[in-house]
């Protein structure tokens, strides 16, 4: 329902009144103090609704004794037709109590006929309009808050809980969406114990930065988890995931970078596959990245193959998987990005930080070096042998 | 991975033309060189897309010179992938000149380098067979 913006004078007032004398009186009073107001007259509530006058009105002046509406029935009909109508009711001297009751069920004000002069009438109209606007704003704000809370609950439900019970691997993570007022972005991560006893982990990044990309990221994560738990052969996982991406993406050129890691039960080595994604960092004995050659991102080459690289794991191993949001902010030299080299230096400086605190600490330091919040999503997944300290 | 919105390092109220600019030179016989200077990130990738959308239909060969690019993020890479596809669909050619570690690194790290027709420099890009 379109109404003038706050601050504009009320232009259209609908008077629901069947007494020609009272109509004339209101016309005269308004003409005297507010000639800019256009008065539209209806003899009954039914007529006002039928002629569509309520939609056009900034304020409704309603006589409680018009034909077809006894006592408060007319007011109820008006508010049913337009819940946000700013209504001032007009009462006779003998039924002032009805005016009070009318305010109780949604009228903005009541005026006693014969007592209201021009200034009182125009003030009542303007106050009614502004109060109703304020109420409508509060209702909208409340609706937005409820919608935001619902979205937050939904998004929280889409964030992963690694399924590693029964394995000898521990996972810690950090996640931050680059989207304002959002818990989830296009980055995703997960870690699950597969049917063969190997631990599978993934970190991925959907190219893009909106709710569609966030939804696609969540879908890819859940699809990957389902494929792993269903026992799909590890070499087939990325091809299958690419099929999901291609069938679900809203833009034919939207791609997704992914890093997958498989840790055998013996934990002597990790199998790493990169689809256009940064390589994981091995933290032990000191931070290093043995970059295997990346294959193309998912969604770019139809028959792509992603060759595995074998990464030896030290007895006290810890692996850091992350998305590019962590390394593409400004580095210590503002002309340069942080990149992998900067991340390795940071990790070296943080070698005494416990593994439980490390993901959050890294995010904090990267943001500080950047000189403010990072625009991109950021996902960090830190895996280690279960015996490692926090 | 940023696509459109804020600048990659969270630059806030920066406009695209403060971050990137383009120099276009027509070399005749259907060949055009588009030189990119600055950052190709979330904020500026759509501007690169506009440039390529404008020139790819008209030119048989578009040489995209990335040697003066100071950042090439995934938003820019997505534009390059779609531009390559668009050029091939028209029977035209998109050729990249990386010319700096920045562009090469971005394409290598994402496994996209082998996908593109890449030349060492603009003269080589223009003289190579079409």
């Amino acid at each position: 329902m379109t109404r003038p913006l706050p601050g504009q004078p009320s232009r259209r007032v609908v008077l629901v009144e069947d007494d020609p004398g009272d109509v004339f009186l209101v016309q005269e009073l308004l003409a005297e103090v507010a000639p800019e107001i256009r008065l539209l007259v209806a003899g009954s509530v039914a007529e006002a609704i039928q002629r569509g006058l309520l939609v056009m009105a900034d304020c409704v002046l309603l006589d409680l004794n018009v034909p077809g509406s006894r006592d408060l029935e007319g007011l109820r009909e008006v508010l049913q037709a337009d819940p946000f109508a700013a209504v001032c009711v007009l009462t006779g001297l003998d039924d002032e109590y009805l005016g009070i009751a009318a305010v109780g069920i949604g009228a903005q004000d009541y005026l006693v006929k014969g007592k209201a002069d021009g200034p009182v009438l125009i003030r009542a109209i303007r106050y009614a309009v502004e109060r109703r606007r304020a109420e409508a704003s509060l209702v909208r704000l409340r609706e937005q808050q409820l919608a935001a809370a619902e979205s937050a609950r939904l998004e929280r439900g889409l964030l992963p809980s690694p399924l590693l019970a029964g394995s000898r691997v521990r996972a810690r993570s950090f996640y931050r969406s680059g989207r304002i007022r959002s818990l989830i972005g296009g980055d995703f991560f997960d870690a699950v114990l597969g049917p063969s006893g190997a631990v599978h982990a993934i970190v991925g990044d959907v190219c893009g930065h909106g709710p569609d990309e966030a939804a696609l990221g969540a879908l890819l994560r859940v699809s990957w988890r389902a494929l792993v738990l269903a026992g799909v052969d590890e070499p087939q996982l990325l091809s299958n995931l690419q099929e999901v991406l291609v069938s679900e993406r809203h833009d034919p050129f939207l791609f997704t970078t992914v890093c997958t890691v498989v840790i055998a039960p013996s934990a002597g080595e990790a199998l790493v596959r990169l689809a256009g994604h940064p390589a994981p960092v091995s933290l032990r004995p000191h931070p290093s990245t043995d970059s295997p050659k990346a294959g193309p991102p998912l969604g770019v080459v139809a028959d792509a193959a992603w060759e595995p690289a074998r990464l030896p794991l030290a007895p006290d191993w810890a692996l850091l998987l992350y998305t590019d949001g962590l390394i593409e902010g400004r580095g210590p030299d503002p002309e340069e990005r942080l990149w992998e080299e900067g991340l390795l230096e940071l990790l070296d400086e943080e070698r005494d930080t416990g593994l439980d605190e490390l993901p959050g600490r890294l995010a904090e330091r990267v943001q500080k070096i950047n000189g403010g919040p990072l625009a991109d999503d950021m996902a960090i997944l830190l895996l280690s042998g279960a015996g490692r300290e926090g | 991975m940023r696509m459109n919105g804020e600048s990659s390092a969270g630059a806030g109220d920066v406009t695209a033309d403060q971050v990137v600019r383009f120099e276009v030179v027509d070399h005749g016989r259907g060949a055009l060189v588009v030189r990119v200077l600055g950052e190709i990130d979330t904020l500026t990738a759509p501007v690169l897309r506009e440039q390529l959308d404008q020139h790819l239909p008209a030119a048989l060969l578009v040489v995209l010179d990335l040697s003066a690019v100071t950042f090439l993020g995934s938003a820019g890479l997505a534009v390059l992938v779609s531009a390559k596809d668009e050029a091939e669909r028209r029977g035209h050619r998109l050729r990249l000149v990386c010319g700096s570690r920045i562009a090469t690194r971005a394409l290598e790290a994402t496994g996209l380098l082998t996908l593109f027709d890449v030349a060492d420099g603009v003269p080589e890009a223009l003289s190579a067979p079409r």
Side-chain angles (χ1 to χ4, degrees):
Chain A
M1 204 158 291
T2 56
R3 303 198 183 284
L5 294 169
Q8 287 184 326
S10 302
R11 297 273 178 221
R12 292 176 300 271
V13 172
V14 169
L15 173 62
V16 183
E17 174 64 81
D18 67 316
D19 184 326
D22 286 341
V23 170
F24 178 74
L25 183 63
V26 170
Q27 281 172 332
E28 288 299 299
L29 290 173
L30 288 179
E32 191 182 315
V33 292
E36 78 279 2
I37 283 181
R38 184 171 163 220
L39 192 67
L40 307 165
V41 182
S44 67
V45 173
E47 184 193 335
I49 293 169
Q50 191 184 334
R51 286 170 56 197
L53 298 182
L54 298 182
V55 179
M56 299 157 58
D58 298 303
C59 182
V60 179
L61 293 175
L62 172 65
D63 179 7
L64 288 179
N65 293 315
V66 287
S69 305
R70 267 185 59 252
D71 295 342
L72 301 175
E73 280 174 24
L75 175 60
R76 288 196 179 96
E77 287 170 38
V78 168
L79 292 175
Q80 197 175 342
D82 179 5
F84 288 112
V87 185
C88 273
V89 298
L90 303 171
T91 69
L93 281 168
D94 299 335
D95 47 14
E96 193 171 338
Y97 70 94
L98 267 181
I100 296 164
V103 170
I105 66 161
Q108 293 300 307
D109 206 345
Y110 73 94
L111 297 169
V112 179
K113 288 181 187 177
K115 279 191 178 177
D117 60 6
V120 168
L121 182 58
I122 195 64
R123 195 181 306 120
I125 289 169
R126 289 200 173 128
Y127 282 7
V129 170
E130 291 312 316
R131 270 200 301 272
R132 181 48 98 198
R133 278 205 190 116
E135 284 172 16
S137 295
L138 281 172
V139 168
R140 277 195 296 273
L141 178 63
R142 181 75 186 124
E143 284 170 353
Q144 284 167 355
Q145 286 170 336
L146 287 170
E150 192 176 314
S151 294
R153 278 200 302 278
L154 179 64
E155 289 185 1
R156 257 194 299 277
L158 292 172
L159 287 169
S161 299
L163 282 176
L164 296 177
S167 81
R168 295 164 69 181
V169 174
R170 274 199 65 193
R172 298 100 170 150
S173 62
F174 178 90
Y175 190 92
R176 181 182 291 151
S177 166
R179 290 195 299 138
I180 296 166
R181 288 186 291 279
S182 183
L183 298 177
I184 189 169
D187 288 9
F188 59 95
F189 69 90
D190 206 351
V192 292
L193 176 63
S196 68
V199 166
H200 293 250
I202 189 168
V203 168
D205 185 348
V206 178
C207 181
H209 204 49
D212 291 333
E213 287 76 16
L216 189 55
L219 174 74
L220 290 172
R221 180 187 72 76
V222 172
S223 301
W224 174 85
R225 177 180 276 207
L227 290 165
V228 170
L229 293 176
V232 170
D233 286 347
E234 188 275 335
Q236 300 305 313
L237 286 173
L238 288 182
S239 301
N240 288 341
L241 202 58
Q242 174 161 270
E243 281 182 44
V244 175
L245 169 66
V246 169
S247 68
E248 296 292 336
R249 63 186 172 185
H250 54 279
D251 171 351
F253 299 108
L254 190 143
F255 60 73
T256 298
T257 70
V258 161
C259 166
T260 62
V261 171
V262 183
I263 296 152
S266 62
E269 65 175 13
L271 193 71
V272 179
R273 291 182 198 264
L274 299 180
H277 201 88
V281 177
S282 180
L283 300 183
R284 307 280 186 258
H286 52 79
S288 63
T289 177
D290 187 13
S291 295
K293 191 172 180 295
L298 305 184
V300 176
V301 180
D303 53 354
W306 295 275
E307 295 305 320
R310 296 188 182 279
L311 189 67
L313 297 176
D316 61 345
W317 69 273
L319 275 183
L320 184 83
L321 287 69
Y322 62 93
T323 56
D324 61 6
L326 183 65
I327 58 169
E328 285 189 355
R330 302 284 169 198
D333 171 1
E335 295 302 303
E336 274 291 321
R337 306 281 161 164
L338 187 68
W339 297 132
E340 287 93 337
E341 298 86 341
L343 175 61
L344 292 175
E345 282 175 29
L346 262 185
L347 286 165
D348 203 44
E349 289 168 20
E350 294 293 334
R351 59 186 168 277
D352 295 329
T353 303
L355 295 183
D356 287 347
E357 289 78 44
L358 187 58
R361 176 82 181 130
L362 273 181
E364 186 186 307
R365 288 211 51 196
V366 164
Q367 183 162 305
K368 193 173 180 184
I369 293 166
N370 185 58
L374 296 146
D376 200 3
D377 304 329
M378 186 197 303
I380 301 171
L381 179 62
L382 177 56
L383 303 171
S384 69
R388 293 296 303 145
E389 96 296 342
Chain B
M1 234 172 268
R2 297 165 305 277
M3 280 290 275
N4 31 33
E6 222 176 323
S7 179
S8 58
D13 300 331
V14 178
T15 58
D17 55 4
Q18 290 173 279
V19 183
V20 73
R21 57 194 178 86
F22 302 88
E23 292 172 358
V24 181
V25 181
D26 190 339
H27 283 258
R29 293 172 50 234
L32 200 69
V33 175
V34 179
R35 186 163 192 247
V36 189
L37 301 94
E39 298 187 2
I40 301 295
D41 61 11
T42 315
L43 180 73
T44 58
V47 191
L48 174 63
R49 187 183 290 272
E50 279 171 27
Q51 285 283 332
L52 292 171
D53 285 350
Q54 184 186 333
H55 299 303
L56 277 171
L60 295 172
L61 169 67
V62 172
V63 175
L64 192 63
D65 180 3
L66 302 172
S67 50
V69 162
T70 53
F71 176 73
L72 179 57
S74 49
L77 295 171
V79 171
L80 297 185
V81 169
S82 68
K84 174 186 176 288
D85 190 84
E86 171 68 8
E88 284 171 0
R89 201 175 57 76
R90 292 177 178 275
H92 294 185
R93 192 143 211 165
L94 175 69
R95 194 166 278 155
L96 306 184
V97 173
C98 291
S100 78
R101 180 77 192 106
I102 289 164
T104 310
R105 172 187 199 141
L107 289 160
E108 260 176 1
T110 50
L112 291 171
L113 190 62
T114 54
L115 230 72
F116 290 94
D117 179 356
V118 180
D120 291 335
V122 173
E124 293 86 343
L126 290 167
S127 61
R130 298 183 202 174

